[in-house]
Amino acid sequence: MRRDTRTARWARHTAGPVAALLGVAVVLGGCGQLKDEVATVTAKQTLLESVPDGTEGPFRFTGKDVTGDVSGSVDPTAKGLELTTAIKDPEHGFTTNIAFRVVGEDVWTKISFTGTEGLTGLPKLPNKWLKLDRTKLADAGNVPTYEGTDPGNAGPLVQAATTVNEDGAGKYSGTIDLTSGEAAKVLEAEQMSALGEAAKQVPFNAVVDGDERLTSLTLDVPAAGSAKAFQYVVNYQDFGSTPKLAAPSGTQAQNAPALAYELLNG
């Protein structure tokens, strides 16, 4: 029974070349007829600079896409990431709850089931953090690693924006080319294929707080073929007030039993 969490994709991070945008702004600054282009570059630069870079301290995040919801926290100092998702079995109605905690190179998981009334035969794992050996995973890419302070991939998405409008009071809107650069890896390949040319002009909205920190980014992905429209949402909050992450120890943790690998590997 494989539980594909798709969580590693959510933790991908690529920094945007802010310096290049600054250079473009300087070149365009003396040309009055290019006022609109200058405004667009400036808005995009500002939005890129609002993406978390590690100076904000620990923070929480939530997000969703067509596959479901995720939540968790990031601790840049500890190179820590905690991520939780829930996967509902459409046939039997129960839900698999999976959490991961990453501190440096180490990773732990918790796996439990809810909505199991009337069902038998489901595996039972210890209610502890189970330390994983990545070499025992059939596809280590399905287990997250710490890859920076932008688990929702807001930076690559903003970098791929073709238009960015500043709508006032920390609000932004525009369009993103999901076929461009690292942004092309954010959605699943099947979704990208179904979108076709529409992937080049996906509308988005973003909000930046009074301290110039990105708090939300929402893509309105259109319907394509038999696939329904959906939103890709990233929320960042509680900067500096979120508890730090540490390796679980003592009675909180143990090495993962064989059953945990069977669940993760299929």
Side-chain angles (χ1 to χ4, degrees), residues 62-87:
T62 60
K64 71 174 184 177
D65 61 13
V66 71
T67 65
D69 299 343
V70 296
S71 62
S73 63
V74 172
D75 182 351
T77 300
K79 293 186 177 180
L81 169 72
E82 191 163 301
L83 190 151
T84 301
T85 189
I87 306 166

Side-chain angles (χ1 to χ4, degrees), residues 31-118:
C31 304
Q33 69 270 28
L34 296 179
K35 181 179 179 181
D36 291 340
E37 285 85 345
V38 173
T40 299
V41 170
T42 302
K44 183 172 179 177
Q45 167 205 329
T46 302
L47 195 53
L48 271 173
E49 290 177 340
S50 73
V51 176
D53 62 6
T55 61
E56 304 85 359
F59 63 92
R60 299 186 193 277
F61 66 86
T62 60
K64 71 174 184 177
D65 61 13
V66 71
T67 65
D69 299 343
V70 296
S71 62
S73 63
V74 172
D75 182 351
T77 300
K79 293 186 177 180
L81 169 72
E82 191 163 301
L83 190 151
T84 301
T85 189
I87 306 166
K88 188 164 185 177
D89 187 299
E91 182 179 355
H92 301 100
F94 69 91
T95 298
T96 305
N97 306 290
I98 304 181
F100 291 100
R101 182 181 292 184
V102 178
V103 179
E105 298 299 320
D106 296 326
V107 58
W108 296 259
T109 188
K110 277 186 178 182
I111 305 175
S112 63
F113 303 93
T114 54
T116 60
E117 295 78 6

Side-chain angles (χ1 to χ4, degrees), residues 51-265:
V51 176
D53 62 6
T55 61
E56 304 85 359
F59 63 92
R60 299 186 193 277
F61 66 86
T62 60
K64 71 174 184 177
D65 61 13
V66 71
T67 65
D69 299 343
V70 296
S71 62
S73 63
V74 172
D75 182 351
T77 300
K79 293 186 177 180
L81 169 72
E82 191 163 301
L83 190 151
T84 301
T85 189
I87 306 166
K88 188 164 185 177
D89 187 299
E91 182 179 355
H92 301 100
F94 69 91
T95 298
T96 305
N97 306 290
I98 304 181
F100 291 100
R101 182 181 292 184
V102 178
V103 179
E105 298 299 320
D106 296 326
V107 58
W108 296 259
T109 188
K110 277 186 178 182
I111 305 175
S112 63
F113 303 93
T114 54
T116 60
E117 295 78 6
L119 297 176
T120 59
L122 285 173
K124 187 176 178 66
L125 289 163
N127 184 27
K128 296 182 179 182
W129 285 107
L130 307 176
K131 189 171 184 179
L132 294 171
D133 179 348
R134 292 183 186 271
T135 65
K136 295 182 180 180
L137 296 167
D139 184 359
N142 278 330
V143 174
T145 59
Y146 180 81
E147 296 189 25
T149 53
D150 182 19
N153 304 301
L157 290 170
V158 174
Q159 177 60 40
T162 52
T163 61
V164 181
N165 305 308
E166 190 168 3
D167 301 326
K171 296 181 179 180
Y172 296 82
S173 63
T175 56
I176 290 174
D177 180 0
L178 288 179
T179 69
S180 174
E182 290 296 312
K185 301 177 184 178
V186 173
L187 299 187
E188 294 185 340
E190 295 84 352
Q191 296 166 340
M192 292 293 293
S193 178
L195 283 171
E197 286 297 306
K200 295 181 178 180
Q201 292 287 319
V202 177
F204 81 91
N205 288 279
V207 177
V208 174
D209 68 13
D211 292 318
E212 299 182 348
R213 302 172 299 197
L214 180 72
T215 58
S216 72
L217 176 71
T218 302
L219 274 67
D220 292 306
V221 183
S226 60
K228 296 181 180 180
F230 68 93
Q231 288 188 322
Y232 181 93
V233 181
V234 182
N235 294 309
Y236 295 145
Q237 63 266 338
D238 300 333
F239 296 102
S241 62
T242 297
K244 297 179 179 180
L245 290 174
S249 60
T251 59
Q252 296 179 323
Q254 69 172 69
N255 289 331
L259 182 55
Y261 293 104
E262 290 178 17
L263 288 169
L264 293 170
N265 290 335

